[in-house]
Amino acid sequence: MDVELRQLRCLVAIVDSGTFTDAAIDLGVSQAAVSRTLASLETALGVRLLRRTSREVAPTAAGTRVIARARRILAETDDLVREATTGHSHLRIGYAWSAMGRHTLQFQRRWARLFPETELQLVRTNSATGGLAEGACDIAVVRTEPDQRRFGGVIVGLERRHLAVAADDPWARRRFVRLAEISDRTVVIDRRSGSTTTDLWPPEKRPAVEYTLDVDDWLTVIAIGRCVGITAESTVTQYPRPGVVFRPVRDAAPIPVRLIWWRDDPHPLADRATRLLTELYGAAERT
């Protein structure tokens, strides 16, 4: 026999109220129903949970352990129901790398001040959708265009492209570089979630390419001087690395930063996150 939530609620009610009669009142059922529910729980578990005398009801050793676990299960269940019905107690924002760049800390602080009733969690998942497709988050920050059939979203800001080179590379002393120059180098591209593709160059001018699957590996390959990389300016802020220098790519189109969500099930707080992040990116552009 499976253990049911109503059985656990009954057990906790008996212990908290002190008597079967008071538990029945709290639960809105008869005393006989309370007795039957407890008996069915003890049968399901195969242990005695409560000692009942004329003066008191006390848990057995096994009952003490079960009650502690039952309280946790019931609390988690209540949280689950509250989250499903309101969607306001937590908001998980996923990202593959860089989060919101230099706006990340300010976004977190403003969110806590403006919406203290909702806990904000940033979740890093190394996937093209920042963990949204994997169920790791409610909405996600991405810098590539998502599958429009599955995901909705909006562009909240733009970020300039930067070249990443080894600190001892001659280009590290330059103020900026141009795309045409980079075509003579080997470019490392994060195949899984990176924002760079060879489409930045004309077909006849595309550079040699090496692939990685993670931002840390991407930075390591650049630091040793084997390749150069192109990335959003948020990487400059979020991933400073000894041995790697970032320089603006002057003539490259900026990278759109998007907030995305499931098209058929948008999170109720997506609009708040969109407004706040759009405001932060907009303020940065005006300064």
Side-chain angles (χ1 to χ4, degrees):
M1 182 184 297
D2 295 330
V3 174
E4 301 176 9
L5 288 176
R6 65 180 183 86
Q7 295 171 324
L8 298 181
R9 292 193 188 280
C10 181
L11 172 64
V12 170
I14 295 170
V15 174
D16 287 349
S17 64
T19 68
F20 280 59
T21 300
D22 289 337
I25 294 173
D26 291 342
L27 295 171
V29 298
S30 67
Q31 183 175 334
V34 170
S35 298
R36 288 194 301 270
T37 302
L38 176 64
S40 66
L41 177 59
E42 291 179 325
T43 298
L45 297 176
V47 293
R48 186 179 181 188
L49 300 174
L50 298 178
R51 295 189 185 93
R52 182 180 182 183
T53 69
S54 59
R55 294 185 177 181
E56 64 176 357
V57 175
T60 63
T64 298
R65 295 191 298 270
V66 171
I67 291 166
R69 181 65 65 86
R71 292 189 189 279
R72 290 196 294 272
I73 292 172
L74 293 172
E76 290 174 359
T77 301
D78 290 342
D79 285 344
L80 182 151
V81 172
R82 184 164 52 253
E83 177 72 15
T85 55
T86 68
H88 287 221
S89 61
H90 296 81
L91 177 63
R92 301 171 300 161
I93 300 182
Y95 65 98
W97 44 269
S98 296
M100 298 96 169
R102 63 190 175 106
H103 305 299
T104 302
L105 182 57
Q106 193 172 11
F107 181 88
Q108 291 173 296
R109 288 179 172 174
R110 285 198 186 182
W111 185 275
R113 185 175 69 252
L114 294 172
F115 314 115
E117 72 283 358
T118 303
E119 179 184 351
L120 177 68
Q121 300 173 352
L122 298 186
V123 183
R124 181 173 182 260
T125 303
N126 190 23
S127 78
T129 63
L132 187 60
E134 293 78 11
C137 59
D138 303 306
I139 60 178
V141 181
V142 299
R143 291 168 176 82
T144 56
E145 187 169 355
D147 183 347
Q148 299 292 334
R149 296 168 299 178
R150 303 175 66 196
F151 306 108
V154 296
I155 296 175
V156 295
L158 300 173
E159 294 179 343
R160 292 189 302 170
R161 296 181 194 264
H162 281 65
L163 179 76
V165 298
D168 57 357
D169 189 292
W171 285 6
R173 298 191 294 271
R174 298 177 57 172
R175 294 175 56 193
F176 61 86
V177 296
R178 298 183 184 278
L179 277 174
E181 300 175 280
I182 301 171
S183 64
D184 295 327
R185 304 290 296 265
T186 299
V187 177
V188 60
I189 293 176
D190 183 336
R191 190 193 297 270
R192 183 173 292 162
S193 58
S195 56
T196 299
T197 71
T198 56
D199 291 339
L200 286 173
W201 295 269
E204 68 279 5
K205 293 290 187 179
R206 288 175 179 170
V209 173
E210 183 173 319
Y211 293 101
T212 64
L213 295 175
D214 182 84
V215 65
D216 289 318
D217 294 339
W218 183 85
L219 288 166
T220 298
V221 170
I222 293 169
I224 63 178
R226 191 164 78 234
C227 302
V228 300
I230 298 180
T231 188
E233 64 183 279
S234 53
T235 307
V236 181
T237 304
Q238 294 296 96
Y239 291 98
R241 173 71 68 89
V244 177
V245 172
F246 297 92
R247 293 292 179 260
V249 182
R250 172 164 286 187
D251 56 345
I255 296 174
V257 181
R258 292 177 169 88
L259 271 183
I260 63 170
W261 46 81
W262 286 101
R263 181 172 293 280
D264 60 354
D265 188 24
H267 193 276
L269 295 178
D271 285 346
R272 291 184 181 181
T274 297
R275 287 196 300 270
L276 179 53
L277 198 51
T278 301
E279 179 184 333
L280 289 173
Y281 272 97
E285 292 177 3
R286 292 191 294 271
T287 58

